[in-house]
Amino acid sequence: MVILKRLSYRYSLPVATLSQLYQALVRPSLDYASIVWDNCHADDRRAVEKAQISLACAFLRLYLPDNQLLALLQWPTLSWRRRRAKLIYFFKLVQGQGPPVLADKLPPALHTRCSYNLRNPSSVLFPSCRTSFRLSFFVPSTSALWNSFPVSITYASSL
């Protein structure tokens, strides 16, 4: 990350080149295993987001609000990328494309638990959690996101 900042200041490379270097070298490290560590403390998540924002400031040499910097570079937020990765993995588990050990941990679909018609039969049963910390784990947090999707998405056969 420091090398990219130095490149942007010393050699004044074009922003498009710096952006490609960031997407190839830095962002994979920030995204690595994000499904697992997404339930970390909010301060830790902000620190990861701050890394992206500091590079955006260095590349553009502007000090704007975070959302404007990301919009200028056409970068999504890392929190959006983490949510997307969690939903893609959840989709794969629901479709039976993931490891069976993890697929067995998914809550059952609501239509398997009741006999009447539902608005969204592909919704999954929300797991019971005694603590708010447990709500941030993969299955409860992704179940809530999954249940908010329209039926056309949850019944899709592929991404």
Side-chain angles (χ1 to χ4, degrees):
M1 210 163 81
V2 174
I3 294 171
L4 286 179
K5 283 185 180 181
R6 285 184 185 166
L7 285 173
S8 70
Y9 288 125
R10 284 190 185 168
Y11 301 107
S12 60
L13 292 174
V15 174
T17 304
L18 292 168
S19 181
Q20 285 181 333
L21 286 171
Y22 162 76
Q23 291 173 12
L25 301 173
V26 176
R27 192 163 68 188
S29 298
L30 298 176
D31 282 344
Y32 182 73
S34 63
I35 295 170
V36 176
W37 62 262
D38 186 42
N39 71 331
C40 66
H41 196 270
D43 291 340
D44 297 329
R45 286 193 301 265
R46 276 193 291 276
V48 172
E49 293 282 345
K50 187 177 176 183
Q52 183 182 33
I53 296 302
S54 69
L55 278 176
C57 285
F59 291 174
L60 294 173
R61 296 186 182 144
L62 296 171
Y63 294 99
L64 297 170
D66 299 352
N67 58 351
Q68 290 179 6
L69 285 171
L70 295 177
L72 284 172
L73 290 168
Q74 298 177 347
W75 291 351
T77 62
L78 294 175
S79 62
W80 180 86
R81 290 181 57 82
R82 287 192 303 272
R83 275 194 312 273
R84 181 177 167 261
K86 285 169 64 172
L87 284 167
I88 288 171
Y89 198 73
F90 196 84
F91 178 84
K92 288 179 180 179
L93 290 175
V94 167
Q95 295 294 323
Q97 298 171 358
V101 173
L102 294 177
D104 294 341
K105 302 292 182 194
L106 287 181
L110 283 177
H111 70 82
T112 62
R113 304 280 301 216
C114 61
S115 59
Y116 51 88
N117 290 332
L118 301 168
R119 276 187 236 142
N120 191 352
S122 62
S123 292
V124 294
L125 187 65
F126 192 77
S128 61
C129 302
R130 289 184 293 176
T131 63
S132 60
F133 179 66
R134 175 79 169 95
L135 285 173
S136 66
F137 284 20
F138 175 75
V139 171
S141 66
T142 312
S143 296
L145 289 169
W146 181 260
N147 290 342
S148 68
F149 277 162
V151 178
S152 60
I153 293 175
T154 57
Y155 268 130
S157 59
S158 68
L159 296 172

